[in-house]
Amino acid sequence: MTLIAAAGALTTTGCRITNTSPAPGAPSPADAPPAAAAAADPSVDYRNADVVCDAFTRALLSIDTTTDPSPDDALPRTAPYVTGPMLATPHALPNGIRWQQWADHQARTEVTTSTYAGDAVQANGPVRTARLAQVTPVGRDGWRGQTQRYVVYCDLEPHGAQQLRVSAYTVEPLGD
């Protein structure tokens, strides 16, 4: 299934989710949320691509069914780590996230991240880095769901003076 919007594109191919910023000059739909710049997270070194990707990954995969009205509420939490156009881009959660089951248990996710061997810096273009993420739903009733493992690839571009922000990302589930 492929979703395309004037504000950006989100492609779901099998189990891979790719999210990119819109092309420069692309029109934005009238009903798109404003792409206001978010305040920087003071705990993040925005000069370090790995640190920015790590913070983005944690925000993207942190879910709490008791406070989030829907599974789509993770994207606004990524605002401090992304370029403005990413805020207006459609978003979908990766495979393995079972919202209704999690909501039945009033679950939130425990997210742990680490470096991934696929890290690479591109000389001509955006910086690309990757994080390995483990996501475990934990219910307030003591229930623990199956841990899902993902690789989140982040493309980062300059933003202001010596800072980087995520301009595109891909989430790939890892089979065990």
Side-chain angles (χ1 to χ4, degrees):
M1 167 175 69
T2 301
L3 301 172
I4 298 176
L10 170 71
T11 306
T12 304
T13 310
C15 295
R16 169 187 248 179
I17 293 179
T18 301
N19 192 324
T20 59
S21 296
S28 59
D31 61 347
D41 179 344
S43 69
V44 172
D45 178 0
Y46 285 94
R47 297 168 296 178
N48 185 321
D50 289 326
V51 170
V52 175
C53 185
D54 190 77
F56 169 80
T57 298
R58 288 175 181 274
L60 180 68
L61 298 174
S62 292
I63 298 167
D64 186 338
T65 63
T66 64
T67 58
D68 295 339
S70 78
D72 299 325
D73 290 306
L75 192 59
R77 284 192 289 274
T78 67
Y81 317 110
V82 301
T83 60
M86 285 280 292
L87 294 177
T89 303
H91 169 68
L93 292 172
N95 290 345
I97 295 180
R98 295 173 179 87
W99 180 261
Q100 190 55 55
Q101 180 187 36
W102 293 9
D104 290 345
H105 293 281
Q106 296 184 324
R108 63 172 174 70
T109 57
E110 291 179 351
V111 180
T112 58
T113 58
S114 59
T115 57
Y116 183 68
D119 286 353
V121 175
Q122 299 173 2
N124 297 325
V127 174
R128 174 163 259 212
T129 189
R131 305 306 289 172
L132 174 64
Q134 295 190 110
V135 179
T136 305
V138 178
R140 291 188 183 204
D141 60 3
W143 173 85
R144 288 183 73 85
Q146 179 179 359
T147 297
Q148 302 291 322
R149 295 180 47 204
Y150 303 97
V151 177
V152 178
Y153 294 96
C154 300
D155 291 339
L156 298 101
E157 294 182 357
H159 177 83
Q162 300 180 10
Q163 294 190 0
L164 296 167
R165 294 290 193 283
V166 175
S167 60
Y169 69 93
T170 301
V171 179
E172 292 183 5
L174 288 177
D176 290 323

